[in-house]
Every structure is written in structure tokens, then in C-alpha cells.
Amino acid sequence: MKQLILACLNLAVLGSAQGIAGAAPVPAAAAPPIAAPKDIAFPGGIRLNVDASDIERRIVRVHESITGLAGDAVLLYPRWLPGEHGPNGPIERLAGLTITAGGAGVPWTRDTVDMYAFHLHLPGGTRALEIDFEYLSPTSPSAGPVEFSREILLLEWPSLVLYPAGYFTRQIPAEVELTLPADWQFASALDKESSAANRTTFKQTTLETLVDSPLFAGRYTSRIDLDPGAAVPVHMNLFADRPDLLAVKPEQVAIHRALVQQAYKLFASHHYAHYDFLYSLSDQVRMIGLEHHQSSEDGTLPTVFTEWDKQPWARDLLSHEYTHSWNGKFRRPADLWTPNYNVPMRDTLLWVYEGQTQYWGEVLAARSGLWTRQQALDVWAETAAYFQTLPGSRWRALEDTTNDEIIERDHHLLWRTWQRAFDYYPEGALIWLDADTLIRERSQGKRSLDDFARAFFGIGDGSMTPVTYTFEDVVKALNAVEPNDWSAFLRERLDAVDKPAPLGGITRGGYKLVFNDTQNDYSKAADGARKRTSLLYSVGLVINEKNATIMDVLWEGPAYKAKLTEGMEILAVDGAAYSAEVLKVAIQTAKDSGAPIELIVKSQDRFRVATLDYHGGLRFPHLERDPSVPARLDDLLTPK
Ligand SMILES: [Zn+2]
């Protein structure tokens, strides 16, 4: 702190001296240029040698050879990662970067504006660059999402590669040799060339396909065929903390097989030569859901199969990520597709990419049996209630939330109900439910959003080359299914602020959003698994039960008015020690008594009494059948 102040003083002295002596400051010269990517063949290639066997220290050692570079060159570390929609490449974990050519050191200079770019000057006659660095994988959750445990490794190639600026990634040949811990098994959509002991060489591919083909490895694994006998195989590759967690029952296998068949009935196509779910069941490595053309990274709870009934909320992960092979990977928004991983992405159409995937992920969960119909209805009750209540939609349009992956990066968004956060997923899903039921109503049940899915995502069967689209393309495809002013329909829902939530799909689907004092089973299970108590629609609070700390406060709700905020600990309710049950009883008591609820809360090391003047009782959302309208929700959730 002291040093900082001194430095500031020195600058001030210098600044004033210059001010006296010369003209006003002008901008410094720009940093040296970085070649924009071109769609021309890269004259060399990348060969990666990755040693990922250090499961204790979680240090991944990379040796990389790059041929085909000369003179002034720029190497890039991937920053804008497909599926992440933001500039999240973990550059802070790259260390020990050393580059040589022909045995002599090649100095590198990091770009002073773009921290992901390294400038080099190569001596004449350079044939190959030899690059060494380490990727320092997080050793605990406090250091970042854990990718490595003593049983499981989640390996993403973009963390482990530097690549030449100036070329489309599909034009850069890449091959990999990988060393894993002894006796571990792996799965990946990459094609294997050869293997010896714990070392595997993969067939040469392009950098684009390599980055799109992560690899999971582990000590306890199993591989389940989800489409036996099919010419285009689909497998579920499980990686677990313990062998007993791999006990998948035949009826659970049948449900996942049904998912594949229901997706084929919906999209009438596939855009992969083979597909691998990379599915980790762990509380040691991170939870993840990340889509790829021929695989997905699916990381969830260790007991998803062994305690199947307890955690329905974890089960639509696979239906969501699988849908992305069609929506997101094959069909991709034109402004989101980028020629390499350092050209910024623009996320304006994520309400299609993620919103419609959220929708199909939920619908396919019900059609395949991952969820019961009631569970799907419970999820939509929660989503509908949230957006009906959401104060943040008074100032922020849905489309603006598509920027959240770039705005948030790794920062936590405070006051979620006011700020809004990633609403293009659930509110996007509500808009597509709205559109689906409207098509069904207008066509008297003859057509539906399934027809849009087949027409929009089902083109080019078997092709893996992305087909990009614009807003106008979406409107055109909807019009081809059911003529309507879809542009106005969508723009109104995407751009308007301070408008009613898009609940047309619920009412047109034959249901009403109602509230009562009983939490629905799905939401109860989600709260139980996440160890939280959700009281957003009554006192306006969500509480973390691990430490009795407030996780979320509804903007301008009763708790907000009592000046409660995220991070406060609740110590007591009406003079009794806090528990979720004590608070729920107090809410019901205050409904009849008219007396306020008194909380003792702690914020850092300060204590105070907060008074909740709320008398509406417990309120939890449900969908209730409206017999005056056809049960379109039931229809669209029925297996095809
Ligand atoms: Zn997604």
C-alpha cells in the first residue's frame, strides 16, 4: 500500500513537470498488429505431446511442435471458447513458457493489449518451433473449477495449446499424443491411432476438431451402448468417484436409449459420425455441461444413478447437451461462429442457441422418461413464477441478457432478480413454449415446433460443417411452418421492457400458474440436493442451509424492504434459533396474527434485528389444469 502511494506521488510530479514543459498528452503508439485469421491452408502443423499423469499436483506438462512459421509470428492461447460464449480461456494457468528453434532459445513477448497473444521473431531457416509449458490445473475449488481428482480427469484441449495467428482453425492440422495415469481408461470423440501402455496417439485432425473433442479419463469407468446395432453409434461413457456409483439399472439404460430415439424423431437427422456422452459422476471434479459436435461434457452428482429418484433436476443435463449437437454446433448463430478462438464472439442469438436448447432439453427429458410429465410441469411452474415476479425485466430486455457470459466472466452477479442473469436460457425456453403452443393452436394441432426443429436443424443429414443463421432465417423458418408475424412476436418478447412475462405457452397449453403453501416435489428435491430453502414468492428470500446464509433476495420484496442482503447469516426467527422449519412456521403464523416476523441477522461481525412485515403466508408455484383449453402441454410432452 505504501509503495503504491509513493508511485502515485512520483507520477504526479512527473506529470506536472511535463504539463508545464510541453503539449497535452497524445495516445501512445498501438501495440504491434496480430494477423487476422484467413481461410487458407496453414503451411505446417501442430503436434501436441501432453502428459496428464500428475494426479497429485495436477500439473499438465505440454510439449508442442509447430512447423510452418517464419519471420515475425504470433502464437495465440484460445480465449473465446465455443460453448462458453465468452472470453474465458484460462490464460492465468499457463506457466513455464519456453520456446526454442533448432536448439536455440526464441524470446517471446506478450502483447500488451491482448494477454492471450505472444509475439516471436523467428531466425531465418527455422523449421520447427519447440514449445514447452505447464497448464496448472486448479488444485481445489477455491482456485477454480476442479478438472482433476485422483479418480477422474476432465481434459480440454484449448487449455493445452498455443496456435498460430492468421489462419482459420479448420485450416491448421493438429495431432496429439497423450500420457494418462497408469491403468486409467478414457473416452473422447477423437479417433485413436495407436496406444502403448498409458500413452495414446490420436489420428491427425484439424485444430477445430481437436478443440471440439475433449477427453475424460478415469480409474472407474463404464461404457454403455445407447443405440445398439446402429450404423452411427452413440455411447454413454461414465467416470465415477467410486466403482459402486457406476451401477446403472436396465430401466435407466432404457431411458437414455429412448433419449437418442426421441431426438432422432424430433430432428430427423444427426450431425456426427459417432457420439459420446462424457459423463462424470463426482463430487470431486467440477460440475459441467459443455456441448460439442460429436460429444458432450456432462458432469453431475455422484449419485445420479444410484439415487435416481432424489435428484430429477440433475437429469435433463444430457438431453440439453445432446440437443446442442443440432442447435448450437451444427446450426450456429452467424455472429457467434468465429474463425478462430481469439476473434470475439457476439451472443445476440443465444435465446435460440441456448433458449431453444433449454426448451428441447426439457421436452426431450419428459419424452424420454428422464423426467415424468409432472416433473416437467413443475419445472415450468417455477420458470413461469420466476419471470412473472422478476423486477429486473422492468429495465433490462431479455436480449440484453445474452451478453451475460461476457459481462460476468467469473464474477458473481449480485441482486440476480434486479440485475437479471443468463435469463436467455429459462425465459428463452418460455418464449419457445409460447411459439410451440401458438403453432399448435393456429394449425389446430396439425403442426408444432417439432416441424420447425426438423426443418431448421434436420438439414444436411450427416454433415458436421456448421450452418450459420441470422434472426431473419429463424423468422423465415417459423413462417414456413405456420404463417404469422413471427418477427413482431419475437421482437416484442426480446426487446420490450416492463412488459408481462411470456406466459402465453402455459395458458395456451391448458394450464394456469397458481400458488399455494405446498412446495412441488421437483422444487423440493432441487432445494434438498442444493441444501437451500427457496422462499422467493413469499418473504423474497433464498437461504443456503449449509450456513444459514442468505443466497438471494427478491428486489423490492419483503426481505429487501427489511434491508436484508445476500451474504447475511440468519441467527434467529421470532426469538428462536434459525432453521428452515422455524422460518416457515413463522411465515404461516404471521399470516394469521398480523404481527411482523423478527429476524436476528449477522453481517460480517455486526448483528441487528430485521423486521419482515409480510402476511401472505407461504407461496409456492404450481401449474393447474385449465379444462377450458386443450391440454397442449400434455401433448407436447408425450413421447413420439
Ligand atoms: Zn447449453
Side-chain angles (χ1 to χ4, degrees):
M1 271 308 182
K2 236 177 201 156
Q3 274 177 336
L4 262 182
I5 290 165
L6 279 174
C8 290
L9 283 174
N10 286 339
L11 277 176
V13 170
L14 270 175
S16 63
Q18 281 171 347
I20 292 162
V26 295
I34 299 170
K38 287 198 186 116
D39 196 9
I40 51 170
F42 177 58
I46 289 176
R47 189 177 165 81
L48 272 184
N49 194 313
V50 173
D51 183 345
S53 61
D54 184 355
I55 56 173
E56 300 298 340
R57 291 174 300 194
R58 307 167 196 201
I59 299 167
V60 183
R61 292 173 201 281
V62 180
H63 178 79
E64 182 175 1
S65 302
I66 305 183
T67 54
L69 287 175
D72 290 326
V74 175
L75 296 180
L76 299 172
Y77 186 74
R79 181 179 193 183
W80 292 82
L81 306 181
E84 303 251 1
H85 320 314
N88 301 334
I91 187 72
E92 71 283 3
R93 297 183 204 142
L94 179 149
L97 178 62
T98 312
I99 306 177
T100 62
V106 176
W108 54 264
T109 313
R110 194 189 299 256
D111 191 87
T112 49
V113 175
D114 181 350
M115 300 301 132
Y116 291 71
F118 299 88
H119 297 269
L120 314 173
H121 180 75
L122 308 181
T126 297
R127 291 187 55 216
L129 282 184
E130 303 298 332
I131 303 167
D132 287 280
F133 64 89
E134 289 93 35
Y135 172 72
L136 308 176
S137 187
T139 48
S140 70
S142 61
V146 174
E147 302 155 324
F148 233 129
S149 74
R150 295 183 73 173
E151 295 82 25
I152 300 175
L153 164 62
L154 319 179
L155 196 138
E156 293 180 338
W157 304 110
S159 305
L160 306 172
V161 69
L162 288 164
Y163 72 98
Y167 301 88
F168 282 24
T169 55
R170 66 181 178 218
Q171 296 280 10
I172 302 174
E175 50 191 321
V176 178
E177 183 179 285
L178 173 68
T179 305
L180 287 171
D183 302 323
W184 280 32
Q185 304 295 313
F186 71 85
S188 170
L190 282 182
D191 295 321
K192 195 166 85 175
E193 174 82 49
S194 64
S195 57
N198 56 341
R199 190 173 295 196
T200 304
T201 305
F202 295 93
K203 284 188 178 147
Q204 192 189 73
T205 180
T206 61
L207 182 62
E208 182 182 42
T209 298
L210 177 68
V211 161
D212 192 44
S213 309
L215 180 145
F216 279 19
R219 195 185 294 276
Y220 309 117
T221 69
S222 99
R223 180 167 163 89
I224 298 169
D225 190 345
L226 292 187
D227 200 0
V232 178
V234 179
H235 286 95
M236 180 162 72
N237 304 276
L238 301 176
F239 299 83
D241 288 346
R242 302 188 313 265
D244 59 290
L245 299 169
L246 297 168
V248 182
K249 295 187 179 73
E251 58 269 30
Q252 293 164 340
V253 172
I255 285 170
H256 288 85
R257 286 179 175 166
L259 169 63
V260 175
Q261 296 313 317
Q262 288 298 322
Y264 287 158
K265 286 180 177 164
L266 176 61
F267 299 117
S269 62
H270 60 83
H271 302 293
Y272 43 77
H274 42 76
Y275 191 93
D276 283 274
F277 290 101
L278 310 177
Y279 200 1
S280 63
L281 316 174
S282 175
D283 53 19
Q284 300 295 301
V285 295
R286 69 181 299 191
M287 289 202 182
I288 186 171
L290 191 59
E291 62 274 22
H292 303 281
H293 275 278
Q294 305 202 89
S295 62
S296 52
E297 295 169 76
D298 310 289
T300 190
L301 303 169
T303 53
V304 68
F305 289 105
T306 51
E307 296 183 4
W308 182 258
D309 292 332
K310 283 195 189 163
Q311 37 223 11
W313 62 273
R315 298 205 299 253
D316 65 324
L317 174 65
L318 265 62
S319 50
H320 179 105
E321 300 306 336
Y322 190 36
T323 296
H324 271 317
S325 183
W326 289 266
N327 180 12
K329 301 308 295 188
F330 177 64
R331 293 305 311 261
R332 207 173 309 173
D335 60 355
L336 186 67
W337 183 89
T338 57
N340 77 8
Y341 311 118
N342 294 70
V343 170
M345 293 172 175
R346 284 167 294 167
D347 290 345
T348 59
L349 287 161
L350 283 183
W351 52 273
V352 186
Y353 180 134
E354 292 294 358
Q356 198 174 127
T357 296
Q358 184 78 9
Y359 181 62
W360 290 127
E362 291 168 354
V363 169
L364 286 173
R367 289 185 187 173
S368 63
L370 285 164
W371 284 350
T372 61
R373 176 183 295 173
Q374 187 57 48
Q375 284 166 341
L377 294 175
D378 288 350
V379 168
W380 287 344
E382 293 290 333
T383 308
Y386 186 76
F387 288 102
Q388 190 184 58
T389 309
L390 187 74
S393 58
R394 295 207 310 258
W395 72 274
R396 194 172 184 209
L398 176 64
E399 192 178 85
D400 189 53
T401 73
T402 61
N403 297 306
D404 282 352
E405 202 68 66
I406 300 168
I407 292 169
E408 189 213 28
R409 297 217 47 213
D410 290 327
H411 307 294
H412 175 78
L413 292 172
L414 289 164
W415 298 103
R416 179 177 61 116
T417 58
W418 183 236
Q419 166 117 298
R420 311 195 72 176
F422 306 97
D423 288 349
Y424 53 92
Y425 284 86
E427 193 175 343
L430 279 185
I431 289 174
W432 290 112
L433 177 64
D434 201 352
D436 195 349
T437 53
L438 187 59
I439 297 169
R440 286 166 191 263
E441 183 184 63
R442 290 170 66 95
S443 69
Q444 293 171 341
K446 287 189 196 75
R447 290 179 297 281
S448 70
L449 199 66
D450 286 51
D451 297 289
F452 171 86
R454 199 172 310 116
F456 199 69
F457 304 114
I459 55 171
D461 187 26
S463 169
M464 283 185 272
T465 305
V467 178
T468 60
Y469 62 85
T470 60
F471 176 82
E472 289 70 28
D473 295 328
V474 175
V475 168
K476 201 171 145 195
L478 282 166
N479 268 313
V481 172
E482 180 62 40
N484 185 30
D485 190 352
W486 290 108
S487 179
F489 172 96
L490 291 169
R491 294 273 41 123
E492 187 188 316
R493 285 157 180 78
L494 295 166
D495 301 337
V497 290
D498 208 9
K499 44 117 178 110
L503 302 192
I506 304 289
T507 49
R508 217 181 290 106
Y511 283 83
K512 280 187 292 202
L513 175 64
V514 298
F515 292 84
N516 63 33
D517 60 11
T518 310
Q519 191 171 18
N520 71 51
D521 289 340
Y522 180 96
S523 165
K524 209 185 287 173
D527 273 9
R530 289 170 173 160
K531 299 191 171 50
R532 69 177 183 205
T533 299
S534 299
L535 300 166
L536 208 61
Y537 309 110
S538 51
V539 287
L541 277 177
V542 181
I543 301 155
N544 181 348
E545 292 304 331
K546 281 180 250 175
N547 50 14
T549 298
I550 297 174
M551 295 170 79
D552 202 2
V553 175
L554 175 66
W555 187 263
E556 294 173 357
Y560 173 97
K561 287 175 185 154
K563 295 192 163 52
L564 297 180
T565 66
E566 185 183 319
M568 281 179 178
E569 184 184 348
I570 306 178
L571 300 171
V573 181
D574 289 340
Y578 170 81
S579 75
E581 216 35 56
V582 165
L583 178 56
K584 285 180 188 169
V585 169
I587 291 169
Q588 287 300 65
T589 306
K591 185 182 179 183
D592 304 322
S593 73
I597 304 161
E598 214 172 69
L599 305 181
I600 299 174
V601 295
K602 182 178 171 219
S603 176
Q604 294 181 273
D605 64 353
R606 300 289 189 271
F607 296 77
R608 80 178 165 86
V609 172
T611 305
L612 285 172
D613 196 10
Y614 170 76
H615 307 284
L618 290 168
R619 291 177 79 245
F620 297 104
H622 300 266
L623 293 190
E624 191 179 271
R625 179 79 184 97
D626 173 4
S628 71
V629 181
R632 297 189 179 96
L633 293 194
D634 296 8
D635 293 347
L636 66 88
L637 294 171
T638 302
K640 295 186 84 169

